[in-house]
Amino acid sequence: MKMVLRWFGEGNDQVPLHHMKQIPGLEGVAWALHDIPAGEVWPLDKISEIRKQADSHGLNMDVVESVNIHEDIKLGLPTRDKYIENYRTTIKNLASAGVKVICYNFMPVFDWVRTDLYKEHEDGSTSLFFEKSIIENIDPMKLVKEISLNKNYSMPGWEPERLKYLTELFKQYEGITEEDLWDHLQYFLEKIIPIAAQYDIKMAIHPDDPPFSVFGLPRIMKNKADIRRLLGLVDNPYNGLTLCSGSFGVNADNNVAEMVREFSDRIHFAHIRNAKTFGNGDFIETSHRTSDGTIDIYEIVKALHEEGFTGYVRPDHGRQIWDEECRPGYGFYDRGLGIMYLWGIWDSLVRAGKETYHVTN
Ligand code: CS2
Ligand code: MN
């Protein structure tokens, strides 16, 4: 596996690249042009600026997270063709900088959803928390205010430009079913995958987070059946998956290690994190360690290892520890610890494999 870390860009990330580079085994950053609104072309000069910054620290920029999809594409509006054309141009531009994987998601209106960004654990650390009964009863506008107000940092997926027209957006989604969303995804992929293949960039859809409908909006990337359907929409290796353990894993019916085994050849990027579920739809994000949460991180890494996974991996969200000032979910310290936990599992599997090899040969 090739280890990368999410980076929000110079001046927008609390962690400088030279600190990231000090993490053992870190090869690159998962980056994005966060100031370009969804639907617009990513300009070549801005991309080559990132190239220079990454190069000067010996980090690759192979993975982009995310090139966001304009809502008109998800809604299937006639204006979608213009935005799809822009997306194709962005793919070509990214290819010129050597990008290999584009992570994206197809969630209407919101990306990830939580009810508390600073839920305190017994040890005083904090992390993202989801309480189902709150979501069922809260006005989305109120949640948006809470999430975007108390921050010094913009939250990925909750960008102000995206949320400005929230009421109108909700209206537009009235009557849009999951089947409609599938049709719109297919339309998009049929136009995007050929160009992605031509430019050797793998498309990797991120699952719905959490993996069920919120605020009555349709969501279609929730489980194994959905992944099978996605891969069949355009049956091409360039149409693949971001396997996010924390998104799929909070539904007890999703066995993430099994997903790895079934879909390994179409997993281009993996997000690995743990969460503790409470059986009623609530969950809290924890350290990456298997025994701290409900998701079996060891089994997932083992499955990746056994499948000979050579794609990109990043630790996903972490807790906020040691009084770090950071974007909730994106503490550097806990993600760094997460990386070392993942390497610990991986290295011992590699070593055990070699030792078995020696014994039998
Ligand atoms: C990420 C997602 O921060 C997170 O929850 O895992 O926001 C992810 O970046 C997007 O859904 C990918 O498009
Ligand atoms: Mn993720």
Side-chain angles (χ1 to χ4, degrees), residues 65 206-207 209 242-247 271-273 314 316-317 330:
E65 175 174 353
H206 188 282
D209 180 8
T242 297
L243 194 281
C244 179
S245 66
S247 298
H271 285 178
I272 306 190
R273 69 172 142 92
R314 74 166 175 84
D316 209 350
H317 304 163
Y330 283 93

Side-chain angles (χ1 to χ4, degrees), residues 121-132:
H121 296 252
E122 260 174 31
D123 60 9
S125 60
T126 63
S127 69
L128 307 185
F129 178 60
F130 181 88
E131 193 169 338
K132 201 163 185 188

